[in-house]
Amino acid sequence: MAQPAVSSGWLRGRVKAVPSGDTLVIMGVTKAEIPPEKTVVLAHLSAPRLARRGGQDDPFAWDSREYLRKLCIGKDVVFRTEYTIPNFSREFCSVFIGSTNVGNEVVTRGWAKVKEAKGEVTPEHTELLRLEEQARQQGVGLWDRSPGSVDAAIRNLPPSAVGDPSNLDAMGLLAANKGKSMEAIVEQVRDGSSLRVYLLPEFQFVQVFVAGIQAPSMGRRTTQEPTIATEIPSDEPNGETNGESRGPLTSAQRVTSSPAFNEVSPDAFGREAKHFTEIRVLNRDVRIVLEGVDKFSNLIGSVYYPDGESAKDLAMELIENGYAKYVEWSASMMEDEARRKLKAAELQAKKSKLRLWTNYVPPSTNSKAISDNFTGKVVEVVSGDCIIVADDSLPFGSPAAERRVNLSSIRCPKLGNPRRDEKPAPYAREARELLRTRLIGRQVQVSMEYSRKVPLADGSAAPAGTADSRVMGFGSVFLLSQGKESDTSATQQPGVNVAELIISRGFGTVIRHRDFEERSNYYENLLAAESRATTGKKGIHSAKDPPSMHVTDLLTTSAKKAKDFLPFLQRNRRMTAVVEYVLSGHRFKLFVPKETCSIAFSLSGVRCPGRDEPYSNDAISLMRRKIMQRDVEIEVETVDRTGTFLGSLWESKTNVGITLLEAGLARLQTGFGADRIPDAHLLSQAELSAKKQKLKIWENYVEGEEVTNGATNDKKQKEEFKVVVTEVLGGGKFYVQAVADQKVASIQQQLASLNLKEAPVIGAFNPKKGDLVLAQFSADNSWNRAMVVTGPRGAVQTAKDKFEVFYIDYGNQETVTYNQLRPLDPSVSSAPGLAQLCQLAYLKVPSLEEDYGHEAAMHLSEHTLSEPKEFKAVIEERDTSGGKVKGQGTGNILLVTLVDEESDTSINAIMLKGGVARLEKRRRWEPKDRQQMLDELEKYQAEARTKRLGMWEYGDIESDDEENPLPGAKKAGAGKR
């Protein structure tokens, strides 16, 4: 054997990993926390190739790797580079352990082949060839030719569970091996507490998270644009090349493969923790004791590695050295003794300020309240763990009087958000309903305990100049009047602990706090209540299916759907409802249990000051105190064009309209069909009483004069802007672009700069419904931003697959093929669509399916699209019931008067004059400015009727059957039927 001399060219190191039968990862022997490392290949040798994901081993590949692993892993070595290959990062080296030549040992045992010499044959190469021939003659290793030896030397690998949890029955594996020691070999260390291992003897490849701890993250890399692969010479280890050379990417591929996110650097000590774990377990035999499985089917287990004659716990080593933190969610799967040891080790690391805890400063106290303790009345139950309390010490109506209190140390299921199609989690409604029935209007004592700074919700970016976090106050809330739950705690408490009540019913869980973290002063009581709920299988701890309820939220649907519900809400004269929210002094969101729907409800004939007007907030505060989340009774009279139901509301047999009028916070609108409003005479008396006392809005009242209390009498200036019409639909609807919008030119310039000649590669680009893409408009072959409205089911199969797209900047919609689509660059997709859906105000224009619908659309097109022309759009009203844009004709609508400034006439009047539209039905309670507009337009309609134009050619047409007239209002003069 050759004896290496420690001279120039020879390096010392320690073997950190053995990736294959001819490759080593050697790290330097230095005092650095992360020493340098180098991947080397044994000179002149080629070992069989191990299987990649989904592949199969070469014969004897595993045995070859195992021999080299057991020979070298963790050993000190000296090595020298013998030669290199251009464009290949690894070096080909001679490696010695003491006086043992590793390459010679591998060849002698028959676990690698010797490559053919290129150029001059060295003595070392000659020796390797001799040893190979000797091994061949002895029939050892790769040269074993006994029957069945080749087949036996190929591992039967089950499908990998890494990246596809469906390949592993994690719960079944846990049930069969819970608490048992399983042998494994660690193949990869993702971070300090996350390993990928082969479970022996089945070679099941799985990911295991070390139980009870969490090491710092290693971050993530940006998505890199693929580059042309460089061909590697045949001297690459395992005799493999990097595959075929690939040509340059097309423009569509470049857009598709552009980075999706920025690089996130590793957390502090992330690299150090990963290295700490690698030098102890990577490519080593370990024992794993499974502790549990998380909701993503990841295995959670304790990992033990050999250290001399004993075994060490990896989790304990990481915690003791300050490389990981204790985490309750996975520690709860472990035995109590093991948890206590980990917890104690972390506490010691904190005290010693080791690594992760270098800058750790324990809080001086466990109670850090953000306000004084106070008593008050519960105004609102936001969720099962959050309420709003009106502080008794502050004046009524003060913005600071209502305080939001989050219940300390508990977490309840989230209620979701109907506007984002987020459904409530199981038992979220039940938790809120329990608190609503127990707390609303009740006196409570609040003990504030700590505060916490949390990021803004949904990860949304904060506006410029604002903080990106908010401070939440946490406290314990007690019902001062003792009820049935008064025996919930043996300790001295002012009353029933609301958090304990929620937990005991199984409607929430107790938060597992970290050491020194602020928590409830009654934390032990909460844990005891949770234990009782778990034992009793209550609420979320029950194995039964949670109760379900489908609630129709009519505030997020169209006005037409609200009108469809009207007969059901009028079926019984009075109905029970719950006030979910106070939108304004006279307008509320109600939940109607009998019809399981939420509605917008407005008091008939009673109007409070509008937003930003004097006493508007006073009216809202009064209603929040009086009716917020209370059980009430309602009578529904009708529904308006926006889908808001009109009627009367009683709380504890008191008409809420009377309460507002008596307080001087509302006016009685006598023109609102007052003869049909219940308690109309009482409402009138209440208003008269407030006028006499000159309360609130009547403080400047003089009998016989109309008073505005500081609000201007001037006609509110309507919003108007210059537009060009880009598309005409039926029913008097059309799309416009704002002339002054600078984004139009900017987006057109950006689109013009893109190279879009290459068609997308099928499979690399799969547009789905709702995606924003680039589409080629068939009329002029221009490329424009578009939304996919419909597409083929499943993945794209051919370039001729059809997609229906909506051009968000123009309002057009058409069907195109797949090869007429391109991915949309994020820099262009961020701007909202430039096409705004509008409708002619005050008119009813027939749809394309109705008589004269096509004539109406043609008439509108002739006057708006026949030549390039700018119009002035005056916004009369906004219809926000349309929701999100999902295609042509959807989304919010601006009801406008469209004025041709050249002729100083409105398109609204032209449509009436041509007999292709008619006026909306009048209502007696309409504002004066609206009445004046209708009077002016009435002249044009009368002219068309007289001349028998368009829809008037056979005389008067029938009135709107679908509209609900004012209750009690007399019908207008009958037309021809």
Side-chain angles (χ1 to χ4, degrees):
M1 293 290 179
Q3 174 66 39
V6 182
S7 59
S8 177
W10 289 95
L11 300 172
R12 293 186 181 276
R14 181 170 296 150
V15 177
K16 177 181 178 181
V18 183
S20 68
D22 58 10
T23 308
L24 303 171
V25 178
I26 303 175
M27 63 181 183
V29 183
T30 68
K31 293 183 178 180
E33 198 149 19
I34 305 180
E37 59 185 52
K38 179 179 291 189
T39 301
V40 303
V41 181
L42 297 178
H44 309 296
L45 302 188
S46 175
R49 181 176 60 85
L50 286 167
R52 296 181 181 178
R53 184 176 297 184
Q56 190 179 49
D57 287 346
D58 285 348
F60 301 101
W62 178 256
D63 296 323
S64 172
R65 202 291 293 264
E66 282 299 275
Y67 176 77
L68 188 62
R69 181 181 73 85
K70 293 176 180 178
L71 177 66
C72 298
I73 194 72
K75 302 285 182 65
D76 289 329
V77 297
V78 291
F79 62 100
R80 180 179 66 185
T81 301
E82 300 294 345
Y83 61 92
T84 59
I85 297 177
N87 300 323
F88 187 58
S89 60
R90 297 179 184 178
E91 300 175 2
F92 295 82
C93 302
S94 294
V95 181
F96 284 82
I97 301 175
S99 61
T100 302
N101 187 321
V102 174
N104 288 359
E105 283 296 305
V106 170
V107 174
T108 301
R109 301 287 182 172
W111 294 123
K113 294 180 179 179
V114 181
K115 297 176 185 176
E116 292 182 5
K118 291 185 178 181
E120 183 181 353
V121 178
T122 63
E124 292 83 1
H125 197 186
T126 302
E127 176 66 11
L128 288 172
L129 291 171
R130 185 187 68 78
L131 294 173
E132 181 184 45
E133 183 59 30
Q134 177 182 312
R136 191 196 305 268
Q137 293 176 3
Q138 294 175 356
V140 295
L142 307 179
W143 315 111
D144 185 357
R145 294 295 179 261
S146 58
S149 61
V150 174
D151 292 337
I154 300 175
R155 292 180 297 167
N156 182 19
L157 295 173
S160 170
V162 175
D164 189 357
S166 63
N167 288 333
L168 176 69
D169 179 10
M171 293 304 298
L173 183 67
L174 175 65
N177 297 279
K178 173 72 173 176
K180 297 179 182 177
S181 178
M182 304 176 66
E183 293 189 4
I185 297 176
V186 178
E187 291 295 310
Q188 183 184 354
V189 176
R190 298 189 67 230
D191 59 47
S193 57
S194 175
L195 315 175
R196 288 177 176 176
V197 306
Y198 276 124
L199 296 179
L200 302 178
E202 291 84 4
F203 290 105
Q204 178 70 62
F205 193 51
V206 298
Q207 182 158 294
V208 177
F209 292 95
V210 181
I213 67 167
Q214 182 172 327
S217 168
M218 283 298 295
R220 62 177 182 267
R221 298 175 183 173
T222 56
T223 303
Q224 303 260 336
E225 182 175 292
T227 56
I228 302 173
T230 304
E231 190 172 346
I232 301 301
S234 61
D235 275 334
E236 184 181 351
N238 297 325
E240 292 291 314
T241 65
N242 282 357
E244 298 176 358
S245 297
R246 299 173 60 184
L249 297 176
T250 66
S251 59
Q253 289 171 326
R254 279 195 293 272
V255 174
T256 304
S257 63
S258 61
F261 43 76
N262 294 326
E263 182 174 358
V264 178
S265 300
D267 293 342
F269 295 100
R271 292 190 179 93
E272 291 83 349
K274 181 174 184 281
H275 177 73
F276 183 89
T277 299
E278 284 177 334
I279 62 176
R280 284 161 175 76
V281 301
L282 181 59
N283 288 160
R284 285 170 166 81
D285 297 301
V286 297
R287 291 188 299 107
I288 296 176
V289 178
L290 293 183
E291 307 287 359
V293 175
D294 68 9
K295 61 182 180 181
F296 302 109
S297 296
N298 292 311
L299 298 175
I300 315 296
S302 299
V303 179
Y304 301 91
Y305 65 92
D307 182 43
E309 298 297 322
S310 62
K312 286 195 174 181
D313 182 353
L314 178 61
M316 183 62 70
E317 292 294 304
L318 285 164
I319 286 279
E320 286 179 342
N321 287 277
Y323 284 121
K325 297 180 179 181
Y326 174 89
V327 287
E328 185 65 40
W329 70 268
S330 62
S332 61
M333 304 174 184
M334 305 169 68
E335 294 183 356
D336 290 342
E337 182 64 24
R339 292 168 59 186
R340 280 194 292 270
K341 287 182 178 179
L342 285 179
K343 196 77 171 168
E346 183 189 52
L347 187 58
Q348 185 59 44
K350 287 179 178 179
K351 290 178 179 177
S352 303
K353 295 192 174 184
L354 291 176
R355 297 179 178 88
L356 285 175
W357 310 111
T358 301
N359 300 318
Y360 180 75
V361 178
S364 57
T365 174
N366 191 40
S367 178
K368 189 178 180 182
I370 60 171
S371 65
D372 298 330
N373 300 344
F374 63 96
T375 59
K377 186 175 290 187
V378 178
V379 174
E380 180 182 354
V381 175
V382 179
S383 63
D385 52 16
C386 179
I387 64 175
I388 295 177
V389 182
D391 191 342
D392 290 341
S393 64
L394 296 175
F396 176 83
S398 168
E402 293 187 2
R403 298 190 178 184
R404 181 181 290 259
V405 181
N406 298 278
L407 300 180
S408 297
S409 299
I410 73 167
R411 183 179 290 117
C412 292
K414 294 184 178 180
L415 280 164
N417 188 331
R419 293 189 181 276
R420 297 177 188 163
D421 295 328
E422 295 175 4
K423 295 183 179 180
Y427 296 101
R429 283 199 181 100
E430 287 75 11
R432 184 176 67 172
E433 184 63 12
L434 173 65
L435 294 193
R436 186 188 74 82
T437 55
R438 296 300 303 270
L439 297 184
I440 286 294
R442 299 281 296 276
Q443 201 74 10
V444 295
Q445 179 171 316
V446 180
S447 174
M448 300 304 296
E449 291 162 335
Y450 61 91
S451 62
R452 183 162 298 150
K453 185 177 289 188
V454 297
L456 290 176
D458 302 323
S460 55
T466 64
D468 58 356
S469 61
R470 60 191 176 98
V471 176
M472 298 173 63
F474 293 81
S476 294
V477 179
F478 301 93
L479 267 172
L480 294 182
S481 55
Q482 302 251 341
K484 294 181 180 179
E485 293 4 288
S486 59
D487 59 343
T488 56
S489 174
T491 61
Q492 297 238 338
Q493 295 179 172
V496 178
N497 187 334
V498 174
E500 195 173 339
L501 174 63
I502 281 285
I503 294 297
S504 65
R505 295 291 181 89
F507 292 152
T509 57
V510 180
I511 297 172
R512 267 49 183 182
H513 292 283
R514 294 169 293 183
D515 276 335
F516 302 119
E517 190 174 54
E518 299 89 350
R519 64 192 68 193
S520 169
N521 293 333
Y522 305 90
Y523 190 70
E524 296 302 323
N525 292 347
L526 297 178
L527 290 175
E530 184 180 46
S531 178
R532 293 196 300 271
T534 303
T535 303
K537 297 183 178 180
K538 295 182 179 180
I540 61 178
H541 309 292
S542 171
K544 299 179 182 177
D545 291 335
S548 61
M549 177 192 298
H550 175 71
V551 178
T552 304
D553 191 345
L554 295 178
L555 279 80
T556 61
T557 60
S558 65
K560 184 180 183 306
K561 188 166 185 179
K563 290 178 181 179
D564 293 341
F565 265 75
L566 181 62
F568 302 104
L569 298 176
Q570 290 179 324
R571 190 160 43 194
N572 298 320
R573 185 166 179 78
R574 286 200 183 187
M575 300 188 72
T576 301
V578 177
V579 180
E580 288 192 328
Y581 201 77
V582 176
L583 302 171
S584 70
H586 62 268
R587 191 166 181 266
F588 320 106
K589 180 181 180 181
L590 305 182
F591 171 63
V592 184
K594 188 171 183 181
E595 303 298 335
T596 59
C597 65
S598 294
I599 64 173
F601 184 88
S602 185
L603 300 176
S604 293
V606 178
R607 287 295 173 269
C608 297
R611 184 177 297 176
D612 299 328
E613 292 182 5
Y615 301 111
S616 170
N617 291 334
D618 293 65
I620 293 174
S621 295
L622 177 62
M623 287 297 95
R624 285 178 63 82
R625 294 281 186 108
K626 291 288 185 182
I627 65 171
M628 181 69 183
Q629 292 188 327
R630 310 280 181 103
D631 293 316
V632 297
E633 289 185 318
I634 59 171
E635 280 189 17
V636 177
E637 299 165 17
T638 186
V639 60
D640 68 13
R641 63 175 297 159
T642 66
T644 299
F645 293 88
L646 308 176
S648 299
L649 184 148
W650 291 267
E651 195 275 324
S652 300
K653 299 184 178 180
T654 300
N655 190 315
V656 171
I658 295 176
T659 304
L660 286 166
L661 291 166
E662 283 181 339
L665 293 172
R667 300 172 186 272
L668 183 62
Q669 292 187 337
T670 54
F672 197 86
D675 54 326
R676 302 290 298 172
I677 300 176
D679 303 331
H681 65 291
L682 297 177
L683 295 173
S684 180
Q685 290 176 7
E687 183 184 50
L688 185 60
S689 172
K691 286 180 177 179
K692 288 180 179 179
Q693 298 179 59
K694 296 188 176 183
L695 298 176
K696 305 292 183 181
I697 65 173
W698 307 111
E699 59 186 349
N700 299 321
Y701 174 73
V702 177
E703 192 169 353
E705 292 185 9
E706 190 64 35
V707 180
T708 63
N709 191 47
T712 179
N713 273 331
D714 296 337
K715 182 179 176 182
K716 185 180 283 187
Q717 188 68 33
K718 294 180 180 178
E719 185 181 349
E720 57 184 51
F721 58 109
K722 296 285 184 67
V723 300
V724 291
V725 178
T726 58
E727 177 73 353
V728 171
L729 314 180
K733 294 180 181 179
F734 53 95
Y735 280 93
V736 300
Q737 276 185 357
V739 174
D741 195 341
Q742 301 297 324
K743 294 177 183 176
V744 178
S746 173
I747 289 175
Q748 289 175 343
Q749 186 177 358
Q750 284 179 281
L751 293 177
S753 66
L754 297 177
N755 179 14
L756 301 168
K757 293 182 180 179
E758 297 289 344
V761 176
I762 295 175
F765 171 51
N766 287 300
K768 299 181 179 62
K769 181 178 179 180
D771 287 354
L772 289 181
V773 297
L774 286 178
Q776 190 175 31
F777 186 43
S778 59
D780 59 3
N781 291 330
S782 63
W783 290 93
N784 301 280
R785 299 191 303 163
M787 173 188 288
V788 178
V789 179
T790 59
R793 291 186 178 180
V796 176
Q797 300 296 325
T798 70
K800 298 297 183 182
D801 283 357
K802 298 293 183 67
F803 290 81
E804 189 173 3
V805 296
F806 168 63
Y807 296 100
I808 62 174
D809 296 326
Y810 297 94
N812 320 67
Q813 186 159 310
E814 67 171 351
T815 299
V816 298
T817 58
Y818 176 73
N819 57 11
Q820 291 176 283
L821 299 179
R822 299 290 187 273
L824 185 59
D825 192 276
S827 63
V828 185
S829 64
S830 58
L834 304 178
Q836 171 61 55
L837 181 59
C838 297
Q839 184 175 350
L840 295 174
Y842 309 120
L843 306 187
K844 284 197 68 65
V845 183
S847 66
L848 295 175
E849 293 78 22
E850 297 175 323
D851 292 341
Y852 303 100
H854 282 281
E855 290 85 346
M858 290 296 297
H859 200 71
L860 181 56
S861 298
E862 287 173 6
H863 287 85
T864 56
L865 295 176
S866 58
E867 58 179 320
K869 184 183 289 188
E870 294 182 6
F871 296 88
K872 180 175 72 174
V874 182
I875 301 176
E876 308 289 352
E877 197 174 338
R878 296 175 186 267
D879 184 356
T880 59
S881 62
K884 293 181 179 179
V885 175
K886 297 179 180 178
Q888 192 177 61
T890 63
N892 297 331
I893 305 174
L894 298 182
L895 282 75
V896 301
T897 297
L898 196 63
V899 180
D900 183 349
E901 293 187 294
E902 292 181 7
S903 59
D904 196 27
T905 56
S906 74
I907 301 299
N908 307 55
I910 290 174
M911 296 290 285
L912 289 170
K913 193 173 181 178
V916 291
R918 55 195 169 108
L919 284 175
E920 288 182 336
K921 194 163 187 177
R922 291 177 182 254
R923 293 181 173 84
R924 287 186 296 171
W925 59 83
E926 287 174 336
K928 288 183 179 180
D929 60 336
R930 183 181 173 87
Q931 291 178 11
Q932 290 172 358
M933 287 294 298
L934 290 172
D935 290 342
E936 183 68 25
L937 293 172
E938 177 69 40
K939 300 174 185 176
Y940 299 98
Q941 179 171 285
E943 182 181 343
R945 185 189 288 116
T946 302
K947 294 180 179 180
R948 298 293 180 95
L949 299 177
M951 64 177 64
W952 307 105
E953 63 178 320
Y954 301 115
D956 284 355
I957 57 177
E958 61 183 5
S959 60
D960 299 332
D961 293 331
E962 72 276 8
E963 290 194 7
N964 295 290
L966 182 71
K970 296 180 180 179
K971 292 184 179 179
K976 191 172 183 178
R977 296 190 178 270

